[in-house]
């Protein structure tokens, strides 16, 4: 039977649903607007976008950035013992190893180079996650060597770590009682021009991101995105097709090695490491080390590089080689350049046999010879 006013039979459910829809239309936002209703609705909806973005940004800062920022603020530089001297004659010397871009702790690298123990007791430098202060590190070295009553220091720097080693060597040579016997540089870029253009562009792009995006120095999310993209050749096939299994494996590797690993270098530390190269102070440090200071002899400078310069895809080792000759080489210089045949860019962990061979057979005798010659020269000068 049809209800009064309705031409067709209708159930209670149909009637209630129709009333509900009519009520919704009558009470929805903007139902009473007559003028510019559509424009006003668009503006209202667009105004919600900043609120959503602000909420997402607050979540990003609260969950990702601020906890990591608090953790990094508690880190500080340290020097960690690795091995004692293997030669009794080297008991008066401490060797400090410093690693390069993207690495926090030199412990694994120092353990791969047992030949360093012929020069003295071996220590690994651990950087501060928030940045690099070479004066603080040099003060730590002085504190350790004074406590051990060791008057001589050898610094070993791999890649960018060589830039840091030179600056620390200058602090010690000019401003402390410690004698710097040698600085060993492994594929070190003496300034930004020594970094190959493609690597230089990546570093400069990183600095721009650090400056533009809030929280980029601490964000683990951004680190995950950047590190995964850096491995895109492992999971992107032809026509930009992503291979699912390889992509998931790349993400797992990044999470394990870079995000969840508390020993991985932070974004802020990587930025500070690259800025150390950009600052280009290594040449001034070499000039300071090229002459005696406060009655202390000049340190020996050893440079390890691949024989084929293109075996190092990151640093133009020929450029660094030339600068080193200009600053500390020549007839009266204290420079030794060692060329290797199987190594790449500062990779002693991957090529320990050749690294240990050149250190033991070439660098150690050279350092000892320079020490004898310099002591004689300083004595005559007095």
């Amino acid at each position: 039977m049809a209800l009064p006013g309705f031409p067709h039979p209708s159930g209670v459910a149909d009637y209630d649903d129709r009333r509900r829809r009519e009520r919704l239309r009558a009470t929805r936002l903007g139902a009473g607007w007559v003028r510019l209703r559509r424009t006003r609705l668009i503006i209202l909806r667009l105004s919600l976008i900043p609120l959503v973005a602000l909420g997402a940004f607050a979540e990003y800062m609260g969950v990702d950035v601020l906890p990591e920022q608090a953790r990094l603020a508690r880190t500080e530089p340290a020097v960690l013992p690795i091995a004692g001297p293997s030669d009794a004659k080297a008991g008066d010397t401490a060797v400090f190893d410093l690693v390069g871009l993207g690495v926090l702790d030199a412990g694994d690298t120092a353990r791969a180079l047992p030949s360093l123990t012929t020069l003295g007791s071996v220590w690994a430098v651990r950087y501060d996650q928030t940045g690099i202060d070479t004066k603080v590190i040099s003060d730590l070295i002085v504190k350790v060597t004074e406590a051990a009553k060791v008057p001589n220091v050898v610094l070993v720097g791999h890649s960018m770590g060589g830039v840091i080693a030179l600056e620390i060597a200058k602090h010690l040579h000019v401003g402390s009682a410690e004698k710097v016997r040698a600085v060993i540089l492994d594929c070190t870029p003496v300034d930004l021009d020594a970094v190959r253009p493609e690597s230089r562009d990546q570093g400069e792009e990183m600095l721009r991101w650090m400056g533009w995006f809030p929280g980029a120095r601490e964000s683990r999310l951004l680190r995950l995105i950047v590190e995964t993209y850096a491995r895109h050749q492992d999971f992107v096939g032809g026509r930009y097709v992503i291979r699912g299994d390889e992509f998931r494996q790349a993400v797992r590797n990044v999470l394990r090695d870079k995000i969840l690993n508390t020993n991985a270098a932070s974004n802020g530390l990587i930025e500070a490491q690259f800025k150390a190269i950009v600052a280009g102070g290594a040449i001034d440090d070499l000039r300071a080390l090229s002459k005696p200071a406060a009655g202390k002899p000049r340190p020996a400078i050893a440079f390890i590089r691949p024989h084929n310069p293109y075996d190092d895809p990151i640093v133009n080792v020929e450029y660094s080689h030339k600068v080193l000759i200009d600053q500390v080489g020549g007839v009266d210089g204290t420079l030794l350049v060692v060329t290797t045949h199987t190594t790449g860019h500062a990779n002693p962990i991957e090529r320990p046999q050749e690294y240990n061979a050149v250190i033991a057979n070439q660098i150690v005798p050279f350092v000892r010879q320079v020490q004898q010659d310099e002591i004689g020269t300083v004595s005559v000068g007095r």
Side-chain angles (χ1 to χ4, degrees):
M1 177 178 178
L3 295 175
F6 288 87
H8 303 290
S10 174
V12 175
D14 292 336
Y15 176 75
D16 289 344
D17 188 58
R18 184 165 55 252
R19 289 283 302 273
R20 180 183 61 82
R21 289 198 300 270
E22 291 175 354
R23 182 64 179 169
L24 286 174
R25 281 195 295 270
T27 58
R28 68 184 177 181
L29 184 65
W33 295 346
V34 177
R35 296 184 58 190
L36 300 175
R37 180 177 180 276
R38 179 175 296 180
T39 302
R40 292 163 71 181
L41 283 173
I42 291 173
I43 294 174
L44 180 62
R45 288 165 182 164
L46 289 177
S47 69
L48 296 176
I49 295 176
L51 294 177
V52 173
L54 185 62
F57 181 74
E59 193 74 7
Y60 157 75
M61 293 295 291
V63 174
D64 185 13
V65 175
L66 294 180
E68 185 69 358
Q69 195 174 67
R71 183 184 74 83
L72 297 179
R74 295 191 296 270
T75 67
E76 57 184 16
V79 288
L80 311 172
I82 300 298
S86 59
D87 189 337
K89 297 178 182 178
D92 63 347
T93 302
V95 182
F96 295 88
D97 203 338
L98 300 101
V99 280
L101 193 68
V103 186
L104 175 66
D105 188 339
D108 291 340
T109 303
R111 292 184 191 96
L113 298 173
S115 56
L116 292 175
T117 60
T118 58
L119 289 170
S121 58
V122 178
W123 299 72
V125 174
R126 180 184 175 91
Y127 299 128
D128 184 348
Q129 284 279 30
T130 58
I132 296 175
D133 189 328
T134 55
K135 184 62 171 65
V136 172
I137 297 174
S138 64
D139 289 344
L140 274 174
I141 290 174
V142 169
K143 188 180 297 185
V144 167
T145 52
E146 284 182 346
K149 297 183 172 20
V150 175
N152 300 311
V153 170
V154 172
L155 296 165
V156 183
H158 307 278
S159 186
M160 180 283 315
V163 176
I164 306 302
L166 286 170
E167 191 168 335
I168 293 170
K170 178 183 175 181
H171 286 307
L172 297 174
H173 186 58
V174 175
S176 78
E178 305 303 299
K179 299 181 182 69
V180 181
R181 290 187 60 190
V183 182
I184 301 172
L185 307 174
D186 176 17
C187 299
T188 294
V190 291
D191 59 28
L192 192 59
D193 290 332
V195 181
R196 296 197 185 277
E198 53 274 21
S199 298
R200 190 188 316 156
D201 292 344
Q202 291 174 3
E204 290 172 343
E205 186 70 18
M206 175 196 66
L207 291 184
R208 281 193 289 271
W209 273 98
M210 293 295 184
W212 291 345
F213 202 87
R217 291 174 179 81
E218 297 84 13
S219 173
R220 290 162 291 183
L221 175 62
L222 289 180
R223 182 72 175 272
L224 175 63
I225 295 171
V226 171
E227 294 280 359
T228 303
Y229 175 75
R231 294 161 173 77
H232 69 274
Q233 291 181 342
D234 296 337
F235 56 81
V236 176
R239 296 183 180 180
Y240 303 101
V241 176
I242 295 178
R243 299 188 295 270
D245 291 342
E246 288 83 351
F247 174 73
R248 285 188 289 272
Q249 184 60 46
V251 172
R252 282 195 293 267
N253 291 342
V254 172
L255 285 170
R256 183 191 66 231
D257 298 335
K258 303 296 183 181
I259 308 302
L260 303 179
N261 179 11
T262 56
N263 286 323
S266 68
N267 298 352
L269 175 58
I270 295 173
E271 178 193 25
Q273 290 172 330
F274 188 77
K275 281 183 175 179
I277 303 172
V278 174
I283 294 176
D284 290 336
D285 299 331
L286 285 166
R287 292 194 186 108
L289 298 172
S290 67
K291 49 183 176 290
K296 295 182 290 186
R298 300 176 297 172
I301 307 293
F303 182 51
I304 304 173
R305 51 154 289 189
H307 177 76
N308 180 357
Y310 296 102
D311 286 342
D312 188 331
I314 296 174
V315 174
N316 183 345
V317 291
E318 284 189 321
Y319 178 91
S320 287
H321 187 164
K322 181 180 181 301
V323 172
L324 287 166
I325 290 175
D326 292 341
Q327 298 299 327
V328 291
V331 176
D332 297 323
T334 57
L335 174 67
L336 171 71
V337 176
V338 178
T339 57
T340 58
H341 294 279
T342 68
T343 68
H345 174 71
N347 59 340
I349 294 177
E350 290 77 18
R351 292 289 184 270
Q353 186 172 355
E354 186 166 11
Y355 268 93
N356 283 293
V358 299
I359 290 171
N361 299 329
Q362 298 182 62
I363 293 177
V364 171
F366 173 73
V367 170
R368 289 174 176 169
Q369 185 61 52
V370 169
Q371 184 187 30
Q372 292 175 4
D373 295 344
E374 287 297 306
I375 289 174
T377 300
V378 172
S379 299
V380 171
R382 289 178 180 174

